Amino acid sequence: MDTNARPAVRGGSTGTAAGPAATGRFDALSRGLRRRAVRLAGAAGIAVSALAAAFGLAGPGAAWAAYPEKPITLIVGYAAGGGSDFIVRSLAPFIEKELGGGTRVIVMNRPGAGGEIGFAAIADAAPDGYTIGLINSPNVVTIPIERQARFSLDRLDPLYNLVDDPGSFVVHKDSPYQTLADVAAFAKANPNSVTVGTTGIGSDDHLAMLMFQRLTQTRLTHVPFPGSADAHRALLGRHIQVTSMNIGESARAREGDPIRILGVMTEERSVQASDVPTFKELGFDVKMASLRGLAAPTGLPPDIRAKLVDAIGKAVLHPEFQDIARKAYQPLRLLPPDQYAAELKTQEATFRAMWKETPWLK
């Protein structure tokens, strides 16, 4: 669910240390788009916010007038360099601008356990508006289903969904697998010999792999990674044979890296890679995607929550942000809080039913 790692970049006003240098044109594109985003956090928004605060125009309540008085931490539960990391670092300057008052949004990567470490850090934070984070489904839904998790869905307050990114299967350009049928045929003849990298147990990448495995009556070897940046590096290094990753990431990565996308897990072809056939077209009825959205710990003061939601809602509609997302192959699906919460509840019911029928963790 996340692609090529790279050195630390600035998300909003500052950033955190990232992993090893990225490969290909993907890194240069990402840096350029983010620099453009940072430049847009202009003084106009700051001035307007300062005047509003000075004249009491920010609305009733002391929290509304004062917030934010210090930097806001935005937690990402995956390694730096992937789609999750990229979208929030691109969006952070626009949130800063909408909040005004010289606000800083600091992106912090807390990878591990399929996103659980980051999700738990968001849920455990004080509900004061100074810690928010990115949550990814199905991981945020499936982890509490499959094991005793350090967080639960009802401890997270969905603020806004940003992206709906379908899955894909990717191989190295030197791979003998030219099609999904090639993967299935080899796996059937050689059980457990095909290694598939994902972003962890219960992730959309992992569940997609299991769906493909069931349809083809094969046995694949699952190799979990902290993020798709790590899985992608392993593929480039030929340490694994297939990566299950989101199309926004694979389409972006193939601009500079020697990879081949075998199929996308959508009903119809993806706008991000219209030349890539769907799994269904190729005879494998697999549909899977990852939602990526912002959430807070439950219990935010209503005025602070309203200010955050308002700022995010305006930031995601900014033409410059939408242009950055389009150029980075990020398929936006903007859902305000109520719609986002409803979507997560629907997913929770779906995956609980799936768990009862075919548990993905034994």
Side-chain angles (χ1 to χ4, degrees):
M1 295 167 54
D2 300 12
T3 259
N4 300 325
R6 53 187 176 272
V9 294
R10 288 191 175 271
S13 300
T14 187
T16 57
T23 57
R25 290 175 55 214
F26 171 70
D27 182 47
L29 171 66
S30 298
R31 288 199 304 269
L33 291 173
R34 278 192 304 277
R35 282 197 298 268
R36 180 182 174 191
V38 171
R39 287 198 300 269
L40 289 163
I46 296 172
V48 170
S49 177
L51 285 171
F55 289 98
L57 299 178
W64 178 284
Y67 174 82
E69 296 180 304
K70 60 182 181 180
I72 296 169
T73 298
L74 199 166
I75 295 170
V76 179
Y78 298 93
S84 295
D85 181 72
F86 179 87
I87 198 67
V88 295
R89 289 185 187 273
S90 299
L91 182 62
F94 298 92
I95 297 176
E96 290 177 341
K97 180 179 178 181
E98 294 300 334
L99 286 172
T103 300
R104 290 190 298 151
V105 176
I106 302 173
V107 177
M108 178 182 294
N109 297 90
R110 297 286 301 275
E116 181 178 0
I117 292 174
F119 303 155
I122 301 167
D124 291 341
D128 56 9
Y130 290 103
T131 301
I132 60 175
L134 194 78
I135 59 173
N136 307 59
S137 66
N139 303 55
V140 73
V141 170
T142 57
I143 289 172
I145 293 173
E146 71 196 20
R147 61 180 185 259
Q148 187 65 41
R150 286 168 280 183
F151 73 96
S152 58
L153 192 58
D154 61 6
R155 294 179 57 213
L156 295 165
D157 181 7
L159 300 176
Y160 229 97
N161 188 65
L162 310 175
V163 168
D164 189 344
D165 201 354
S168 66
F169 269 13
V170 180
V171 296
H172 198 283
K173 272 197 172 177
D174 294 340
S175 169
Y177 308 135
Q178 299 293 321
T179 66
L180 292 174
D182 291 342
V183 176
F186 188 84
K188 182 163 280 191
N190 303 274
N192 298 314
S193 62
V194 177
T195 50
V196 181
T198 79
T199 51
I201 293 171
S203 67
D204 57 313
D205 312 317
H206 179 221
L207 296 179
M209 185 205 87
L210 294 180
M211 287 178 170
F212 182 78
Q213 184 174 257
R214 281 198 299 274
L215 280 173
T216 57
Q217 298 183 338
T218 57
R219 293 201 303 274
L220 308 172
T221 296
H222 180 219
V223 185
F225 290 89
S228 60
D230 308 273
H232 185 65
R233 282 199 303 272
L235 182 73
L236 294 178
R238 299 178 178 83
H239 304 300
I240 56 175
Q241 295 167 287
V242 179
T243 300
S244 179
M245 64 193 302
N246 298 111
I247 191 65
E249 298 162 335
S250 55
R252 186 164 38 128
R254 72 173 175 173
E255 289 191 351
D257 295 335
I259 62 173
R260 179 165 54 250
I261 307 173
L262 300 183
V264 60
M265 303 169 196
T266 50
E267 188 69 33
E268 298 179 355
R269 292 198 180 196
S270 169
V271 174
Q272 281 67 38
S274 58
D275 61 311
V276 177
T278 68
F279 272 55
K280 192 171 183 179
E281 281 181 69
L282 298 173
F284 306 95
D285 192 9
V286 176
K287 292 186 285 293
M288 184 62 67
S290 173
L291 294 184
R292 300 182 191 127
L294 296 177
T298 56
L300 287 181
D303 51 353
I304 288 178
R305 185 179 188 273
K307 190 169 186 180
L308 265 174
V309 170
D310 181 66
I312 296 167
K314 290 176 179 175
V316 296
L317 293 177
H318 198 292
E320 294 290 345
F321 168 70
Q322 297 210 349
D323 188 49
I324 290 168
R326 179 182 58 79
K327 289 179 177 177
Y329 301 98
Q330 292 290 304
L332 296 179
R333 183 186 175 197
L334 306 178
L335 298 177
D338 290 348
Q339 292 179 39
Y340 187 22
E343 181 72 21
L344 291 174
K345 286 295 183 184
T346 298
Q347 286 197 13
E348 183 180 36
T350 298
F351 287 112
R352 283 197 183 279
M354 180 177 174
W355 174 261
K356 287 180 181 179
E357 183 181 341
T358 52
W360 52 84
L361 181 64
K362 298 180 180 178

